[in-house]
Amino acid sequence: MRASYLGHRNILIAAATGLVVLPACLAAIYENAADLPLSQYDFIIIGGGTAGNVVANRLSENRRHDVLVLEAGVSNEGVPEVIIPFFCTALAPNTAYDWNYTTVAQPGLDGRTMVYPRGHVLGGSSSINYMVYNRGTIEDFDRYSMLARDTGWSWNAMMPYMLKHERWSRPADNHNTDGKYDPSIHSPRGMTAVTLGGYSQAIDDRLFQTTKDLKDEFPFNLDMNSGRPLGVGWTQSTIDSDGKRSSSATSYLGPEYIKRPNLHVLLHAQVTRLVMTEEIRGKPSFKEVEFVQKRDGPRLKIRAKKEVILSAGAIGTPQILLNSGIGDRTELANIGVRPTFHLPDVGRNLIDHPLLSNIWYVNTTETIEKIVRNSTLFGELLSQWQNQHTGPFVHSPLSNQIIWSRLPKNTSLLAGRDDPAPGPNSAHYEILPVNGFADEVPTPGTGNFITLATIVLNPVSRGSVTLASSDPLTPPNIDPGFFKDPLDLAIMREAVKGATRFLSGPAWKGYVLEPYQDLAGADTDAKLDIHIKKHGRTVYHPVGTASMSPRGQSYGVVDPDLRVKGISGLRVVDASVLPRVPSVHPQAPIYFVAERAADLIKGSW
């Protein structure tokens, strides 16, 4: 989803100096490898993203452990688009804060390629995402536990890590939140700020009136983070009480942590490969990390004494493993990379949530278009955010609510097939409202809109990440494999019908006018399929490319303790280890994985 306020960039730049006071403790964040105070570290973490910064924080709690984070991107400090929630859609693509990836052509999307944003900034994708905070379902984590044959990944076992991570915060407008969440299942003492929307939107009342008018299909759910999200509930987001983004960089690398003398972060450090250093008890060890700070710069190396933790994300992690010769030996040799360890599932099992923007004209001017088309109003709202930390800029452009739905129990779509959802309390699809035009094309110059984006939450299709070249700095081939399996297309079709039914409720009479462009003519299943293939895309939730599997099994990439199979001193801690995509936005589950991983690592040393 993109918004058309990119033309207001000059206003953002003018305001940037007043947004953030840079902390004096930034001495522990380095931009030049020559300035690092140590030549070896106990732990080297590759990737200062959602997971990597969690691990860095927790490992550096022990002052005897020297910890280095290698982050390929830039600093998050002082970047208005990163800090101000409303501007999140301006962070990708084609910016310094994005890896600016593009997928291979997708047959399931009429042969189109897609931009594929990933955070290229400290905080990783937690610094550029839309800040939605979903824990996942009970059944998601219990399925991970079953697939890994490790009860430590179950919902009940992971709950302490959920509470350890979360710092429940009052919303920016300090409104009464009674009846909008369940305080008994949240924690105010964790790390990353989580809150409810701090600004009322014009569609709030209509959305919740629909939970009464159409309560059989769209019931109200007090708290979607109970592990049972079905229904319509208030969105929880990683935003603090001042209306600022709360990322892994601002929380786990906050001022009180980054000043630790044993925690160092190096920016602009793109890892090219891991170097095998020795054998330990018959297993190869890859404790030397090769990286560059400029594309044409020298290859630098640094060594870990205890472990290397790979936290480069579902795209970066398999690319680094493959560049290191860890993968399918035949495929590596064919592309010119010397195989060092045969692990054929590296880069396979890419799973992502496909998304479709469904847009209608509405009979009002109280939509996002009112802001993005008016530079004067835009500047006034920016001043309001800057001076009072209130107004629409304290929240992302998404609505204050999310809708989670399942196919009907008697659906014929699952006849003869396993239900792709992990259980009956997990949704098949999500409906994500936006009070305005939300698509990857610019907002039209006239008209006002509502968008109900639909997302397939448990896709059956699988893709891959493979090397495009033996040059480790060449972006990999990213193939999310959208709609390879016809069931995913059928579920998206039913999701669009569900969104249409939602807007058929009495609350929307006279408000919703007609569908926008192609959606208007998609009145049969065949036409809906054409519409989906023409306009479908990603919601940027890749997982699975270094999947966890039971200890001793030859398939998968990591064991349940996240050690890379058959290799000593190397773990993976990021979204790539999840063998299935969560039935929700995956930001929060990745944080939880990292919290448990940190305990697993500390328990080994």
Side-chain angles (χ1 to χ4, degrees):
M1 298 180 192
R2 307 214 63 204
S4 295
Y5 50 78
L6 299 182
H8 304 308
R9 172 70 179 167
N10 58 328
I11 301 176
L12 295 180
I13 294 171
T17 55
L19 294 178
V20 176
V21 177
L22 296 179
C25 60
L26 282 182
I29 298 181
Y30 300 88
E31 298 204 353
N32 190 328
D35 296 330
L36 288 174
L38 300 175
S39 59
Q40 291 189 80
Y41 287 81
D42 293 301
F43 298 99
I44 297 176
I45 299 165
I46 300 172
T50 307
N53 292 338
V54 177
V55 178
N57 178 292
R58 299 307 186 189
L59 294 183
S60 62
E61 289 174 340
N62 184 337
R63 295 304 174 93
R64 294 176 298 174
H65 292 160
D66 292 315
V67 178
L68 173 65
V69 177
L70 296 175
E71 167 53 43
V74 299
S75 173
N76 61 303
E77 290 287 349
V79 181
E81 296 95 330
V82 170
I83 299 163
I84 304 173
F86 191 79
F87 300 150
C88 61
T89 61
L91 288 161
N94 303 320
T95 74
Y97 316 110
D98 179 20
W99 279 93
N100 298 311
Y101 291 133
T102 302
T103 69
V104 300
Q106 296 294 290
L109 297 177
D110 286 346
R112 291 182 291 124
T113 62
M114 299 179 295
V115 295
Y116 211 75
R118 298 284 84 205
H120 188 253
V121 57
L122 195 59
S125 292
S126 76
S127 286
I128 73 165
N129 65 16
Y130 294 6
M131 296 155 286
V132 176
Y133 182 82
N134 303 142
R135 287 178 175 171
T137 73
I138 295 172
E139 296 153 344
D140 280 325
F141 282 92
D142 287 351
R143 178 161 66 177
Y144 295 147
S145 174
M146 177 203 53
L147 291 172
R149 297 181 200 159
D150 183 330
T151 58
W153 293 109
S154 68
W155 174 270
N156 287 340
M158 291 295 289
M159 177 57 72
Y161 295 112
M162 300 178 194
L163 300 177
K164 186 177 184 180
H165 160 72
E166 175 189 293
R167 175 167 53 85
W168 187 264
S169 306
R170 62 170 177 78
D173 62 358
N174 207 27
H175 73 269
N176 184 355
T177 57
D178 290 348
K180 293 187 175 181
Y181 80 110
D182 180 358
S184 71
I185 62 172
H186 292 278
S187 167
R189 294 178 294 277
M191 300 291 289
T192 301
V194 177
T195 190
L196 296 166
Y199 180 78
S200 297
Q201 298 187 18
I203 58 175
D204 287 350
D205 290 344
R206 296 179 191 274
L207 280 158
F208 277 98
Q209 183 59 43
T210 306
T211 68
K212 300 174 182 177
D213 297 336
L214 304 178
K215 61 183 178 182
D216 289 343
E217 184 173 3
F218 303 108
F220 174 67
N221 186 323
L222 175 62
D223 197 317
M224 65 183 71
N225 279 325
S226 65
R228 296 178 176 86
L230 293 175
V232 184
W234 290 93
T235 304
Q236 299 172 20
S237 303
T238 48
I239 299 171
D240 68 18
S241 297
D242 287 332
K244 298 178 182 178
R245 176 192 293 270
S246 184
S247 69
S248 71
T250 63
S251 56
Y252 288 88
L253 297 185
E256 65 269 48
Y257 307 116
I258 197 63
K259 66 183 179 183
R260 290 173 179 166
N262 60 328
L263 174 58
H264 304 144
V265 177
L266 178 63
L267 301 176
H268 320 298
Q270 182 172 352
V271 171
T272 51
R273 64 182 179 125
L274 309 176
V275 180
M276 189 166 68
T277 52
E278 58 189 328
E279 280 199 5
I280 300 176
R281 293 185 292 276
K283 292 182 178 181
S285 180
F286 291 75
K287 291 185 180 178
E288 191 167 77
V289 180
E290 180 187 270
F291 65 97
V292 296
Q293 291 208 272
K294 295 180 180 179
R295 180 172 181 85
D296 57 351
R299 300 284 175 95
L300 307 173
K301 292 180 180 179
I302 196 161
R303 186 171 290 211
K305 291 181 281 187
K306 290 182 168 63
E307 292 192 26
V308 171
I309 296 102
L310 192 46
S311 297
I315 307 303
T317 284
Q319 181 185 17
I320 291 169
L321 289 171
L322 293 169
N323 282 326
S324 307
I326 303 169
D328 184 286
R329 64 166 71 97
T330 301
E331 293 177 5
L332 290 169
N334 286 342
I335 205 165
V337 173
R338 183 176 68 85
T340 57
F341 188 80
H342 184 59
L343 198 58
D345 281 349
V346 171
R348 295 175 183 169
N349 193 49
L350 175 61
I351 316 171
D352 194 3
H353 289 147
L355 174 145
L356 178 70
S357 287
N358 307 286
I359 304 170
W360 288 261
Y361 289 98
V362 292
N363 185 24
T364 182
T365 58
E366 296 303 313
T367 62
I368 290 173
E369 289 76 45
K370 180 179 179 179
I371 299 172
V372 301
R373 293 175 184 153
N374 186 330
S375 294
T376 300
L377 176 60
F378 184 95
E380 291 171 351
L381 293 175
L382 181 57
S383 294
Q384 179 183 356
W385 179 91
Q386 192 170 354
N387 296 321
Q388 303 170 28
H389 299 289
T390 59
F393 289 0
V394 304
H395 197 266
S396 78
L398 305 179
S399 84
N400 286 322
Q401 300 81 22
I402 297 179
I403 304 156
W404 308 94
S405 293
R406 284 183 62 82
L407 299 172
K409 290 182 179 180
N410 62 351
T411 181
S412 61
L413 296 181
L414 298 180
R417 300 203 57 158
D418 293 332
D419 187 341
N425 295 304
S426 301
H428 289 119
Y429 62 86
E430 172 187 354
I431 301 174
L432 187 61
V434 180
N435 184 33
F437 187 93
D439 205 350
E440 289 194 325
V441 298
T443 301
T446 59
N448 293 83
F449 305 91
I450 187 172
T451 301
L452 296 190
T454 46
I455 301 167
V456 178
L457 293 171
N458 285 279
V460 181
S461 303
R462 297 291 184 268
S464 63
V465 174
T466 58
L467 295 182
S469 162
S470 60
D471 177 1
L473 300 179
T474 298
N477 294 321
I478 302 170
D479 178 11
F482 282 149
F483 302 124
K484 278 185 179 178
D485 192 297
L487 180 58
D488 296 342
L489 183 64
I491 292 174
M492 181 65 86
R493 185 195 314 138
E494 294 307 306
V496 178
K497 294 177 183 178
T500 303
R501 288 193 299 273
F502 189 86
L503 292 183
S504 71
W508 305 98
K509 186 176 182 181
Y511 182 88
V512 174
L513 299 176
E514 60 185 11
Y516 174 74
Q517 289 192 350
D518 290 355
L519 183 60
D523 52 4
T524 67
D525 284 358
K527 291 180 180 179
L528 264 179
D529 288 352
I530 292 171
H531 175 67
I532 293 166
K533 292 178 179 180
K534 181 178 179 181
H535 297 285
R537 51 196 168 87
T538 172
V539 71
Y540 326 133
H541 294 165
V543 307
T545 49
S547 286
M548 176 169 52
S549 66
R551 191 182 311 276
Q553 296 299 311
S554 59
Y555 64 91
V557 176
V558 300
D559 285 334
D561 60 3
L562 307 186
R563 287 187 169 101
V564 176
K565 291 176 178 293
I567 292 177
S568 176
L570 177 61
R571 297 194 207 224
V572 176
V573 183
D574 58 30
S576 67
V577 305
L578 296 176
R580 299 287 186 275
V581 68
S583 307
V584 295
H585 297 238
Q587 174 184 212
I590 295 165
Y591 275 120
F592 309 153
V593 166
E595 284 282 13
R596 184 180 185 224
D599 272 0
L600 292 170
I601 297 167
K602 288 192 289 186
S604 300
W605 301 98

